[in-house]
Amino acid sequence: MKYRLLNSLLPLVMLVSSASVQAQIIRFIAEDLPPYHFINDAGKPDGGLVEIAKALQAQSGLKAQIEILPMARAHHELQTKNNVVMLAWLKTPSRERGYKFLGSMCQISASLIGLKENKLNLTDLNHAKQYRISTIRGYYSEEYLRQAGFSEDHDLVLVSHYASLWQLLYKGRTDLILTNTQTIQRELDKLGLDPDRLEYKLTLQDFPSQLHLAANQSFPDDIAGKISTALEQLKSSGQYQKIIQKWRMPN
């Protein structure tokens, strides 16, 4: 009798659990990285991918909010919460096993960048090991450089924010930085740094290029499906392309 009662209650428990998850507010999160996502002068989340997130919310009918967080906290929230979607998570082979990728948002390219006055003739990444290279801690670029043999004991300098990255380079405390090339102009404008002093030293052709919507493995499959479908519908209708073109982001 007890087992029959438990068995009869099980579907109800699962239904309540599912409804509880569905009732949660979906949190679209991202770091401060213009023009993709940033806090505007009014103190509100803004940017190309923020606008796409708002369109996804409207298209899917899901309850959602958008938050701009420090990268370390955003990464922690992505890993530990079952209602979080990262707006732009670089899709890499190592990440495919641990996350659900819900659709491509845009593309990036990555390069080693230095100052023009530093005459560095790089032929490949291995050749760059004689110089100090900096990137942002916790980014895939850190993993990429470590896999290539760079280390903090010798030639790798890690920082927590793009502002620190550029300051290191312009003050001569590092020789090269590894960064996404799409955001450079806005970052330098914000910091008051002269872009004419920069030079692309080496484009990294094997660096992953697709930024995706992503959630962890505990994120509900049905909601993931709604978000993926909504993104495809935005692309089919042309609304996605209009937003990308408005913000001048490669897709």
Side-chain angles (χ1 to χ4, degrees):
M1 178 69 180
K2 179 169 65 175
Y3 293 112
R4 285 200 298 272
L5 179 59
L6 287 173
N7 287 335
S8 66
L9 287 175
L10 185 59
L12 179 60
V13 171
M14 292 177 65
L15 180 62
V16 171
S17 176
S18 175
S20 176
V21 171
Q22 296 253 15
Q24 286 184 335
I25 295 176
I26 302 305
R27 297 171 59 206
F28 288 110
I29 66 171
E31 62 175 321
D32 175 26
L33 189 65
Y36 300 101
H37 23 70
F38 58 95
I39 297 294
N40 63 22
D41 293 340
K44 302 293 184 181
D46 205 349
L49 300 190
V50 169
E51 192 168 332
I52 291 174
K54 291 177 180 178
L56 284 173
Q57 178 184 2
Q59 184 72 33
S60 65
L62 294 170
K63 295 179 180 179
Q65 62 188 38
I66 302 169
E67 303 170 40
I68 306 299
L69 305 173
M71 185 58 189
R73 184 180 168 197
H75 188 197
H76 176 75
E77 296 293 287
L78 174 64
Q79 289 180 307
T80 60
K81 303 296 174 59
N82 72 345
N83 66 331
V84 164
V85 177
M86 186 81 87
L87 282 182
W89 193 232
L90 194 65
K91 189 174 185 179
T92 70
S94 61
R95 288 175 178 174
E96 285 191 64
R97 295 186 295 272
Y99 299 92
K100 294 179 180 180
F101 288 91
L102 313 183
S104 174
M105 292 287 266
C106 60
Q107 289 188 337
I108 62 167
S109 61
S111 295
L112 293 179
I113 298 173
L115 298 177
K116 287 180 181 178
E117 57 257 39
N118 295 336
K119 305 301 181 182
L120 311 179
N121 296 315
L122 301 181
T123 56
D124 55 37
L125 186 59
N126 193 58
H127 187 203
K129 288 182 180 177
Q130 59 189 297
Y131 304 108
R132 294 165 299 174
I133 297 184
S134 298
T135 195
I136 297 178
R137 188 182 299 276
Y139 276 25
Y140 174 73
S141 53
E142 177 189 352
E143 179 183 336
Y144 176 87
L145 289 171
R146 289 189 185 279
Q147 288 177 348
F150 292 83
S151 73
E152 288 178 274
D153 294 333
H154 178 54
D155 42 26
L156 180 61
V157 182
L158 300 174
V159 299
S160 59
H161 194 264
Y162 71 83
S164 301
L165 198 63
W166 291 115
Q167 294 291 355
L168 278 179
L169 182 64
Y170 276 74
K171 291 179 179 179
R173 296 175 182 170
T174 194
D175 301 308
L176 298 160
I177 64 173
L178 171 51
T179 188
N180 160 27
T181 61
Q182 274 69 44
T183 62
I184 290 176
Q185 188 62 55
R186 286 176 181 262
E187 291 172 6
L188 295 181
D189 287 347
K190 187 173 182 179
L191 296 170
L193 298 174
D194 181 8
D196 291 335
R197 293 184 62 193
L198 293 181
E199 184 173 67
Y200 288 74
K201 305 293 187 179
L202 183 68
T203 299
L204 302 171
Q205 302 292 349
D206 64 335
F207 197 91
S209 61
Q210 289 283 343
L211 290 173
H212 280 242
L213 287 168
N216 67 34
Q217 292 292 356
S218 67
F219 192 84
D221 288 336
D222 55 341
I223 299 180
K226 287 182 179 181
I227 294 173
S228 295
T229 298
L231 181 58
E232 288 304 315
Q233 290 170 340
L234 291 181
K235 291 179 177 181
S236 297
S237 69
Q239 187 176 355
Y240 163 88
Q241 287 79 5
K242 288 180 180 178
I243 296 172
I244 290 291
Q245 290 167 7
K246 171 185 172 182
W247 290 92
R248 298 179 182 178
M249 297 186 307
N251 67 335

